[in-house]
Amino acid sequence: MEERIAGVIEQQRAFFKGNQTKDLSFRRAQLSLLKQVLKDNEEAMYEAIYQDFGKSAFETYMSELALVYHEINSLLKNMGKWSRKRRVPTGLANFPASSYILPEPLGVTLVIGAWNYPFQLSLIPAITALGAGNTVILKPSELPTRSSAILAKLINDHFPPEYFFVMEGGVPETQALLAQRFDKVFFTGSTSVGKIVYQAVAKHLTPVTLELGGKSPTFVLADADLKMTAKRLVWAKFLNAGQTCIAPDYVLVDQAIELEFLQVLKAELELFQERTQNYQEHYSRIINHKNFDRIHRLIHPEKLFFGGETNREERFISPTILQGVSFDDPVMEEEIFGPVLPVLTYNKLDEAIAWVKERPKPLSCYIYSTHRKSIKKILCEVSFGGGAVNDSLMHISNSNLPFGGVGMSGFGRYHGKAGFEEFSHFKSILDKPLWFEAPLKYLPYSPLKKKLIKWLLE
Ligand code: NAD
């Protein structure tokens, strides 16, 4: 395995040195090819996700393929502009000269994907790296076996390994990859594995992007529009059965409206289940039994307000709400990553803000309120990767909003221009003509020269 990995990296390094990946028309052709390959194989991709998650084709399109196509289209449209030389002012000290910044690809990159959205979490960083002119080795998560296999087949059948290669595998394969030197590593996954990746790349001083997780809070203030809050919150929390890195992990609701909020939430969930009589067909399963058991243990019967139906054989957990939860409960220890929503109450907004600030900075935060001053207060005081006001999750669908974490939820960002820049180096150039050279910086020094230099440089 080590030899095979080293071989592909060597091939990619040689290919990158040939400069073909820097050619815009080559990059455009490759991204267009990838889009066509995905379009031609959508049915097989839907089937793979259905086999892995029991998830509907509609949801797979909406939460996976649509985002990938959107990103490819955005790159095709903008990468010419983003690759261009960027002129900047020069200043008098270097007169006469011009100054500019040249974006350039980093080289051979490694993208490591997570399992919960096997296509978009692997493909979006990969296509962004290709769009910026790099070569890519992609290591998807091993847990959704069918999705990982189809991704490997589609890419490896249509792209040469020296340019874009999918290497399937789990921990040993990832560690073997990480032992090698890359020019950039992009990792999506848990905070604990993120630390392992960070240590591994440090040996080679490889720049890294870490897209990690965490417990993302949702504030529901007393002045919130409760019906709309419940509608948007329920959709966001239970999409993919809660296995979403930016899912609302828990709710902090003003004590004054707790009961009313819970009733509206319950009504919305009943509607969610009624609307599609066979909603179980449209509702994702938990990825494996290990995660099923972990989530199942978090459903404390005494705190159960709604749901809690489970079927271990089918890895099914119905949308579940817990009431009267405190930060000492096991459900508040780690990211839930499943369809369980604990509701905690607060007396004063300041105390709720303080609770969130005591904990690691989350990947997302959501605020439901109609009071601009309170919204502004939370946005100003709480640090988190990204989020939404009066909505949840949907910020990910706007590629003009850089996506990434802060603190323990990771660093670096992608989507749109931010992603292109994440996979680029910006070479700063001062470009001087030969027809003039000011004598100031040369010997002999004099008080007059010092005065002039001071005026020019300060
Ligand atoms: P994970 O950390 O277990 O696995 C991620 C990848 O790392 C996989 O490809 C896996 O093969 C590899 N890996 C696992 N253990 C390893 C080890 N010891 N050494 C080297 N490589 C190893 O994460 P996951 O379970 O796939 O995903 C769930 C987590 O990812 C959650 O915390 C979630 O919040 C987070 N996540 C974050 C984002 C984001 O965009 N920030 C997106 C999705 C998921």
Side-chain angles (χ1 to χ4, degrees), residues 113 115-116 121 139 142 175 188-190 193 211-213 245 335:
W115 57 261
N116 52 326
L121 291 177
K139 210 297 292 174
E142 68 280 22
Q175 291 189 340
T188 304
S190 57
V193 179
E211 295 285 345
L212 311 177
C245 55
E335 184 182 0

Side-chain angles (χ1 to χ4, degrees), residues 188-202:
T188 304
S190 57
T191 300
S192 55
V193 179
K195 290 179 187 170
I196 297 174
V197 172
Y198 201 15
Q199 284 186 340
V201 297

Side-chain angles (χ1 to χ4, degrees), residues 77-91:
K77 187 170 158 213
N78 296 305
M79 67 189 180
K81 187 169 67 193
W82 295 338
S83 307
R84 247 179 248 149
K85 163 162 107 176
R86 303 167 188 193
R87 289 195 175 277
V88 293
T90 296

